[in-house]
């Protein structure tokens, strides 16, 4: 087979019910985070369930947002942002920042305990499992989404259990190591 044949084979349409594909993709578990930016004009936060390590050297994280995200635009303009990895008791915080009807600007942080990061000027939420302070690296269109890359300049972690998104719902609790299969 030639390289051209291989490419044509890969591009052949796959027949599958789109609803079944979407249902299967809901089985990707991911930690829930609130992204924050300290814009000169206003503070802003948004919930994200797709944050992942992209590179160890340099230390880059990737965040998937919807295309045209106002957060991505503000992070690019500001040049820095923060990621608050939520702990198991913060489902209400995740829901708050996912709600498009929440107040704008600093009002969306009313009633929440937070401190401004000294570098990013972005809110670091109290009780979060971890905080990553990032310098904006780049943003890339990816289908109906946008991939935001951040260079981690500072990180810290607390002691708690994570909040996960799985099958369209939020799950909290402790993690237990998988047992190794017995050698045969």
């Amino acid at each position: 087979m030639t390289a051209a044949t291989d490419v044509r084979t890969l591009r052949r349409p796959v027949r599958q019910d789109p609803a079944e594909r979407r249902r299967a993709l809901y089985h990707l578990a991911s930690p829930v985070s609130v992204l924050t930016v300290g814009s000169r004009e206003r503070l802003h936060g948004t919930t994200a369930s797709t944050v992942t390590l992209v590179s160890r050297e340099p230390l880059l994280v990737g965040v998937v947002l919807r295309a045209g995200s106002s957060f991505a635009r503000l992070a690019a303009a500001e040049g820095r942002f923060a990621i608050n990895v939520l702990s198991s008791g913060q489902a209400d915080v995740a829901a708050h920042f996912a709600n498009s009807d929440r107040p704008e600007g600093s009002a969306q942080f009313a009633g929440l305990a937070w401190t401004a990061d000294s570098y990013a000027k972005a809110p670091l939420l109290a009780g979060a499992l971890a905080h990553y302070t990032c310098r904006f690296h780049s943003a890339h269109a990816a289908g109906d989404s946008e991939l935001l890359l951040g260079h981690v300049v500072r990180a810290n972690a607390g002691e708690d259990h994570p909040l996960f998104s799985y099958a369209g719902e939020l799950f909290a609790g402790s993690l237990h190591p998988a047992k190794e299969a017995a050698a045969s």
Side-chain angles (χ1 to χ4, degrees):
M1 235 191 257
T2 66
T5 304
D6 292 340
V7 170
R8 283 192 300 269
T9 302
L10 293 174
R11 290 185 183 164
R12 206 173 35 201
V14 175
R15 289 181 177 83
Q16 184 183 19
D17 176 22
E20 177 60 20
R21 277 193 310 237
R22 279 191 303 277
R23 190 184 77 72
L25 290 173
Y26 279 127
H27 292 290
L28 293 172
S30 56
V32 179
S33 300
V34 170
L35 314 175
T36 58
V37 65
S39 169
R40 287 181 198 94
E41 297 114 28
R42 64 181 183 147
L43 297 176
H44 183 68
T46 191
T47 299
S49 61
T50 307
V51 175
T52 190
L53 175 65
V54 173
S55 169
R56 286 185 175 84
E57 188 58 43
L59 189 54
L60 297 174
V61 292
V63 180
V64 178
L65 300 164
R66 66 175 166 68
S69 162
S70 58
F71 183 87
R73 188 179 71 253
L74 288 168
E78 200 58 30
R80 50 193 103 184
F81 61 96
I83 300 171
N84 298 270
V85 181
L86 299 183
S87 63
S88 61
Q90 293 182 304
D92 56 334
V93 175
H96 173 73
F97 285 99
N99 182 350
S100 59
D101 293 331
R102 72 183 178 283
E104 292 190 16
S106 60
Q108 65 189 289
F109 294 91
L112 296 174
W114 61 275
T115 57
D117 181 76
S118 61
Y119 171 77
K121 310 299 185 228
L124 299 178
L125 302 176
L129 181 62
H131 297 110
Y132 309 135
T133 301
C134 301
R135 183 173 61 242
F136 176 83
H137 180 277
S138 56
H140 309 273
D144 65 355
S145 298
E146 188 166 357
L147 174 62
L148 174 67
L149 295 177
H151 179 262
V152 178
V153 296
R154 182 176 30 251
N156 62 58
E159 295 291 327
D160 205 340
H161 300 291
L163 180 66
F164 282 104
S165 172
Y166 177 76
E169 295 184 44
L170 297 178
F171 289 86
S174 61
L175 298 175
H176 305 284
K179 300 202 186 311
E180 290 186 13
S184 47

